[in-house]
Amino acid sequence: MILSGKELSELVKKQISECCGSFARRFSRKPCLAVVLVGDNPASLTYVRSKKKACEELGIAHLDVSFENTISQDELLSCIAGLNSDPSVDGILVQMPLPSHVDELAVTEAISPEKDVDGFHPQNIGKLLLGQKSLVACTPKGILRILDHYEIKTAGKKVCIMGRSNIVGKPMAALLMQKGRDATVTICHSRTPDVASCTREADIVIAAVGHVNALTADMVKEGAVVIDVGINRVPDSSKKSGFALKGDVDYDAVSLKASAITPVPGGVGPMTIAMLMENTLTAACRREGIEPEDLDCGCGKSCCGGC
Ligand code: GUN
């Protein structure tokens, strides 16, 4: 089974757009996302463009802020302070990575937790770990939504997560181990001596390491579910752009053994963007003193509902 995040994201975005319409009617304004881009990293430019396009599709306003690569940390922090106190802004997204002279953690911590639609702030990560209501990091949240949609149960399952990033690996593990998700989770990383022995045991493997062919067919048990978080640019002269997008998984070989697998592109990526939109709506609702479920938008789903 191919787990199409692309298809699911279209469904989810339709529900979110209905809720955004309902929000706009009730509060006479659209939810608003501030999108902060530093420098001209080509991948970041592409991601930011896709995020703004999704805002426009769904009825979310976006406030665009761009800086040269040379911006100082203090200037960036004062921009964030301004967005924190701007009543028209519900969510703040600072596209990562940032130039090496800027401390990403300082920037993440500067964003008001209520506007932290990436779910990267220590307060949101801490709440997530404790199983409390928070804004949840978009990629792990999108992966859970894929598993739910395709009725892949996690309770009692062994899940192996490859990669210990703050953005994916750590919050993914925290979500899966919560009551209700009930998975037994192992995280492998660059210092794990025998990654294959861990992945081979797993019912579900989540590859989030950032290099091609990190998960090959010999590392996967027959019938496992495979989630590919990687978005790697590999040179490809047959493409107009000069590169092709490849995941972390050797898709052709692994898909012959897996019972279900996400493709790249068209898997986790579109769900990450859909979840960013959902978090923006959630942040906007909470700033108005309601939960998204209270919108009664008739979307017919616990859209905005949570993990
Ligand atoms: N860079 C790569 N992924 C992400 C993401 O999910 N959010 C932000 N802000 N930057 C990223």
Side-chain angles (χ1 to χ4, degrees), residues 44 47 51 93-97 118 120 138-139 167 272:
S44 292
Y47 294 141
K51 290 170 184 179
L93 170 123
V94 179
Q95 186 64 34
M96 306 290 177
D118 262 325
F120 295 166
C138 303
T139 300
I167 295 180
T272 297

Side-chain angles (χ1 to χ4, degrees), residues 222-242:
E222 196 74 43
V225 172
V226 176
I227 305 290
D228 192 348
V229 182
I231 307 179
N232 305 294
R233 290 182 167 209
V234 295
D236 184 340
S237 54
S238 72
K239 302 269 186 222
K240 206 166 77 186
S241 60

Side-chain angles (χ1 to χ4, degrees), residues 153-159 176 180-184 203-204:
K153 302 278 176 266
T154 55
K157 299 284 176 63
K158 286 185 187 166
V159 182
L176 285 164
R181 292 286 171 191
D182 301 323
T184 303
D203 305 302
I204 301 173

Side-chain angles (χ1 to χ4, degrees), residues 175-193:
L175 284 165
L176 285 164
M177 72 171 75
Q178 295 301 318
K179 275 212 164 69
R181 292 286 171 191
D182 301 323
T184 303
V185 184
T186 311
I187 296 197
C188 302
H189 48 76
S190 52
R191 296 302 181 97
T192 302

Side-chain angles (χ1 to χ4, degrees), residues 61-137:
H62 57 91
L63 177 66
D64 307 336
V65 188
S66 295
F67 293 110
E68 299 281 319
N69 229 2
T70 50
I71 188 179
S72 73
Q73 180 163 317
D74 282 350
E75 279 173 285
L76 186 55
L77 292 178
S78 63
C79 161
I80 291 168
L83 295 171
N84 283 340
S85 57
D86 184 338
S88 70
V89 170
D90 297 299
I92 302 170
L93 170 123
V94 179
Q95 186 64 34
M96 306 290 177
L98 292 170
S100 55
H101 66 275
V102 178
D103 177 356
E104 286 187 355
L105 181 61
V107 171
T108 302
E109 283 183 329
I111 297 171
S112 159
E114 293 74 32
K115 296 190 179 187
D116 169 38
V117 285
D118 262 325
F120 295 166
H121 191 282
Q123 185 173 308
N124 282 321
I125 295 279
K127 283 186 172 178
L128 174 65
L129 192 58
L130 296 173
Q132 296 175 0
K133 196 173 79 177
S134 64
L135 286 166
V136 176

Side-chain angles (χ1 to χ4, degrees), residues 14 28 36 43 100 149 190 200 207 223 235 265 267 270 275:
K14 189 164 172 293
S28 306
V36 181
S100 55
H149 178 77
S190 52
R200 258 188 238 117
M275 295 300 100

Side-chain angles (χ1 to χ4, degrees), residues 201-278:
E201 288 270 295
D203 305 302
I204 301 173
V205 183
I206 300 174
V209 286
H211 57 85
V212 291
N213 293 336
L215 187 74
T216 48
D218 58 307
M219 297 168 73
V220 178
K221 130 173 133 174
E222 196 74 43
V225 172
V226 176
I227 305 290
D228 192 348
V229 182
I231 307 179
N232 305 294
R233 290 182 167 209
V234 295
D236 184 340
S237 54
S238 72
K239 302 269 186 222
K240 206 166 77 186
S241 60
F243 64 86
L245 290 181
K246 280 213 174 288
D248 290 351
V249 175
D250 178 5
Y251 184 88
D252 290 343
V254 171
S255 58
L256 298 175
K257 270 179 108 175
S259 60
I261 186 165
T262 59
V264 177
V268 173
M271 285 305 292
T272 297
I273 295 184
M275 295 300 100
L276 175 68
M277 300 298 111
E278 191 172 281

